Amino acid sequence: MNRKFLNILCAAAGLVLAAAMFFSAGTFPDRAEAATRYVVFLSGLLACLSLALMAQFAFKDSDGETIRWVVNRRTFLFTVVASVLFVLLLNLVGFFPASGFYMFVLGWILGFRDKTWLLIGTLGLLGFVYIVFVRFLAVPVPSGFWGA
Amino acid sequence: MIDMLLSAASSLARPEVLLSVLGGTAGGMVIGAIPGLTATMAVALLIPVTFGMDPVVGLAMMGGVYSGGMYGGAISSILLSTPGTPAAAATAFDGYPMTRQGKGGVAIAVATIGSFWGGIISTFALLSLAPVLANFALRFGPPEYFLLSLLGLASIVTLTSGNLLKGLISGVIGLIIASIGMDPIDGFIRFTGGIVDLFEGVSFMPALIGLFSVSQVLELTAESHIVQELGADPESLKRSSIPKGLASTIARGGFIGTVVGILPGAGATIASFISYNFAKQVSKNPGSFGKGNPEGVAAAESANNGCVGGSLVPLLTLGIPGNSVAAALMGGLMIQGLIPGPELFTRFGTVTYAFILSLFLANICFLVLGLYFAPFFARVATVPNSILIPSITILSVIGSYAINNSIFDVWLMLGFGIGGYFLHRAGFSLGAVVLGLILGPIAELGFGQSLIISHGSPMIFFERPICLVLWGLILLLLLPAFKKKKKDVPV
């Protein structure tokens, strides 16, 4: 996707969002007068800026610059998927097992192959979290099926 | 004021405060020295840690991280030619050539001394200017606060490095996100999609951590290492004495940094470049700049640390964060129950002055740490991304969870992180989104209350003298953008 097309697309999305906000403000009850005014103000502001962005790029020649969304697809995808699974696992197996598993597996997948240092790093980080958050701040981290 | 200053100074003498400043400064230096990890990220990650702390301890730690982070950027700039923070980019111009000439230790010493004096000058300015401005802020009513938030948004123009319209749209996106949940005047619930967790609005901290930390983590997936190896042998970087004749450059840099820092939106990066260029213009030997002139390092570093105190002036007095680190710090202040504004210098004077005085301590801390341990901090930048990525994610997860003990906040953080990554790639400014997110509640309350006072007439925003001054400032900030736009149009 080239930058010109992207900017026009963003401007169009901004206009759609502004319109959606403007029409939704019309459905607010009469008692919410201040809320309605503010949302109308925001949608007007967004519409003006989006129109200006569209005008700026609509008549401009493309500079040929393309957007590179992801530089390294493999590591990006692994990181995103592993992070989502990590958060899903939090409630299931608890914070510490999920974090240890996440750090070890993701570190390994991303190319860190020294098991000893990976283990030391994992234990060091989890130790820090335990001392600061659990002992010092008394944060009740998710304990999962291990129970409270 | 003197009473509060004395009481603040005595509260700083506690061992836990001193330890928190030292720990915060050292932590800030490490994070600042790692390219890709910013002082904003460090402050954002730290806020949940300081949540349960005494306000003085927590704020002193955050001040230490801010000062240390701003200085730490110079370490990797000089030794690795990779600026740890954007504000240290100008430092690399002469710092790295000095390292190549075997003067890495001298460059580090110049950067440390320059940063120290820059920080001291700006903290003095903060101490003397902020109470005066805070007194002035007492005259502000809802219309003025609304226009102040517009001024903050207009300052995005100077904050944005890419397309200015996209910067402004980013700010409006932040305002829109801030409008999710209950409206502050009528109590009407909007744009929540029926999700109960959103009824009180989008939690600020998960959004901040997601936008600044997780999106950065995703950027790190592009490479295996930030830096493969150090540009100089740490053993050879012993303490070095600084060349003579840099005092005026450092003083000028500190002054430039303070003034630029006070201007909303104009950050440390701009300050360091202005200071560097100025030093080059007034130098007797401008040709030596860029080839290893210590004046260049001193000018850039004194200015970027000079911004620390300067950027806190509008934050503490008017609640307008001058840059993204100040925006993150504002979150920390609010978590401690300290709403920026005139009350900070009256009702909460002791805590506020203790925070300001702790910045002096932070400067002393990085002076000592920088002179003796800077090369060792630089080694952290060589940690592989395969370790950094999961570590930062785990800290982000626990950080966003700890605020409300809510898994929903963790999902929110992850969503903001992934969304922020793509917004950034598309050329939008994440700093501006955060600025909008922070200014949203101030803008909405000011806007709503003003229209209630005026019975719906928008003329209230144009009738009061302070409002007219604020409009003038807004136009002044936007003017360069229009000029630039005209220049950009192809002939």
Side-chain angles (χ1 to χ4, degrees):
Chain A
M1 186 185 288
N2 70 46
R3 194 162 283 279
K4 179 185 172 178
F5 180 67
L6 169 86
N7 285 329
I8 292 174
L9 205 67
C10 288
L15 285 172
V16 171
L17 179 62
M21 284 174 60
F22 181 79
F23 288 118
S24 79
T27 65
F28 290 0
D30 290 343
R31 67 174 176 83
E33 200 183 348
T36 310
R37 277 178 187 153
Y38 185 66
V39 171
V40 169
F41 164 73
L42 280 186
S43 58
L45 198 60
L46 181 62
C48 290
L49 290 170
S50 301
L51 274 174
L53 184 68
M54 192 170 270
Q56 189 184 14
F57 283 91
F59 306 106
K60 204 174 180 179
D61 290 333
S62 170
D63 54 9
E65 191 188 347
T66 52
I67 306 294
R68 203 170 173 198
W69 294 107
V70 177
V71 179
N72 187 333
R73 279 187 199 171
R74 185 180 163 271
T75 51
F76 180 86
L77 204 68
F78 275 137
T79 305
V80 170
V81 171
S83 302
V84 170
L85 286 175
F86 170 39
V87 181
L88 279 173
L89 277 176
L90 279 179
N91 269 341
L92 203 67
V93 300
F95 175 78
F96 286 104
S99 300
F101 185 69
Y102 171 74
M103 178 132 178
F104 205 88
V105 170
L106 188 60
W108 185 267
I109 289 174
L110 295 181
F112 196 84
R113 293 295 151 86
D114 189 332
K115 281 182 199 161
T116 316
W117 278 110
L118 200 51
L119 199 67
I120 291 171
T122 306
L123 289 176
L125 183 77
L126 295 185
F128 170 79
V129 170
Y130 179 76
I131 291 166
V132 174
F133 287 91
V134 179
R135 301 302 299 177
F136 184 61
L137 297 174
V139 173
V141 294
S143 51
F145 58 67
W146 308 101
Chain B
M1 180 185 162
I2 301 291
D3 290 347
M4 281 189 277
L5 264 174
L6 288 174
S7 150
S10 68
S11 71
L12 280 184
R14 288 182 288 153
E16 66 266 32
V17 180
L18 297 174
L19 262 177
S20 72
V21 177
L22 183 68
T25 310
M29 280 173 70
V30 172
I31 291 189
I34 303 175
L37 308 188
T38 59
T40 316
M41 180 190 194
V43 174
L45 279 177
L46 190 68
I47 292 171
V49 180
T50 59
F51 183 51
M53 290 180 182
D54 174 81
V56 175
V57 179
L59 291 173
M61 191 180 264
M62 280 189 261
V65 166
Y66 189 2
S67 301
M70 206 50 96
Y71 161 70
I75 300 172
S76 44
S77 243
I78 291 167
L79 299 180
L80 316 164
S81 185
T82 313
T85 57
T91 310
F93 294 164
D94 285 285
Y96 190 63
M98 283 179 78
T99 300
R100 298 283 302 260
Q101 294 159 15
K103 298 178 194 163
V106 179
I108 289 277
V110 169
T112 310
I113 303 281
S115 297
F116 170 74
W117 283 112
I120 293 290
I121 290 168
S122 77
T123 310
F124 263 119
L126 173 66
L127 198 60
S128 48
L129 276 180
V132 182
L133 252 177
N135 242 345
F136 178 67
L138 282 172
R139 297 184 201 171
F140 281 35
E144 284 81 9
Y145 271 106
F146 172 67
L147 289 178
L148 256 184
S149 52
L150 284 194
L151 182 72
L153 276 183
S155 72
I156 288 170
V157 167
T158 45
L159 193 84
T160 311
S161 52
N163 186 296
L164 296 171
L165 277 171
K166 281 164 98 172
L168 287 170
I169 290 173
S170 311
V172 176
I173 290 172
L175 289 180
I176 292 169
I177 296 168
S179 75
I180 292 171
M182 199 183 285
D183 140 63
I185 292 178
D186 305 313
F188 179 67
I189 291 167
R190 311 155 292 192
F191 312 136
T192 60
I195 300 168
V196 181
D197 292 284
L198 288 176
F199 281 11
E200 283 186 27
V202 171
S203 289
F204 173 74
M205 278 317 296
L208 192 81
I209 294 173
L211 288 171
F212 284 138
S213 294
V214 177
S215 66
Q216 286 284 348
V217 159
L218 294 175
E219 291 280 352
L220 290 180
T221 59
E223 304 283 344
S224 65
H225 280 74
I226 294 170
V227 177
Q228 291 284 357
E229 57 185 43
L230 286 176
D233 173 19
E235 295 307 315
S236 69
L237 297 168
K238 302 286 181 199
R239 187 186 170 197
S240 308
S241 55
I242 71 162
K244 285 179 183 165
L246 293 176
S248 60
T249 309
I250 290 172
R252 196 175 47 234
F255 178 74
I256 291 173
T258 306
V259 173
V260 174
I262 290 173
L263 302 174
T269 313
I270 298 168
S272 61
F273 275 97
I274 291 175
S275 176
Y276 182 85
N277 286 330
F278 199 75
K280 192 176 172 181
Q281 278 171 12
V282 300
S283 169
K284 287 173 189 162
N285 188 10
S288 65
F289 276 73
K291 293 170 188 162
N293 188 335
E295 270 186 72
V297 176
E301 274 308 300
S302 53
N304 70 31
N305 265 79
C307 258
V308 173
S311 69
L312 293 177
V313 174
L315 172 73
L316 296 182
T317 55
L318 305 168
I320 302 292
N323 56 33
S324 53
V325 195
L329 254 172
M330 187 171 169
L333 284 168
M334 284 156 88
I335 287 241
Q336 295 285 0
L338 305 169
I339 310 297
E343 271 202 333
L344 275 190
F345 294 87
T346 51
R347 216 173 126 202
F348 303 106
T350 308
V351 178
T352 308
Y353 284 116
F355 170 53
I356 296 173
L357 293 179
S358 75
L359 293 175
F360 285 113
L361 288 181
N363 280 292
I364 295 167
C365 282
F366 77 64
L367 177 72
V368 176
L369 291 171
L371 289 176
Y372 291 96
F373 301 109
F376 301 101
F377 286 123
R379 280 197 155 177
V380 182
T382 58
V383 172
N385 288 352
S386 47
I387 291 292
L388 277 181
I389 289 170
S391 307
I392 297 169
T393 311
I394 289 170
L395 288 175
S396 302
V397 164
I398 186 67
S400 46
Y401 175 84
I403 302 286
N404 298 316
N405 301 332
S406 157
I407 289 283
F408 179 79
D409 281 354
V410 178
W411 284 116
L412 210 59
M413 181 267 307
L414 209 56
F416 269 98
I418 296 169
Y421 170 84
F422 286 109
L423 271 180
H424 181 65
R425 284 265 150 188
F428 289 91
S429 158
L430 298 187
V433 174
V434 170
L435 207 57
L437 203 57
I438 290 167
L439 294 174
I442 306 169
E444 179 161 18
L445 199 63
F447 184 81
Q449 287 177 337
S450 302
L451 291 182
I452 288 171
I453 294 169
S454 69
H455 304 288
S457 165
M459 285 313 290
I460 191 169
F461 298 118
F462 303 94
E463 286 164 345
R464 298 155 66 119
I466 299 178
C467 286
L468 292 175
V469 173
L470 289 170
W471 276 120
L473 289 173
I474 291 169
L475 288 177
L476 216 66
L477 277 176
L478 290 174
L479 215 60
F482 289 119
K483 270 187 186 167
K484 197 174 175 189
K485 203 175 141 190
K486 264 186 188 170
K487 222 194 298 176
D488 284 350
V489 172
V491 183

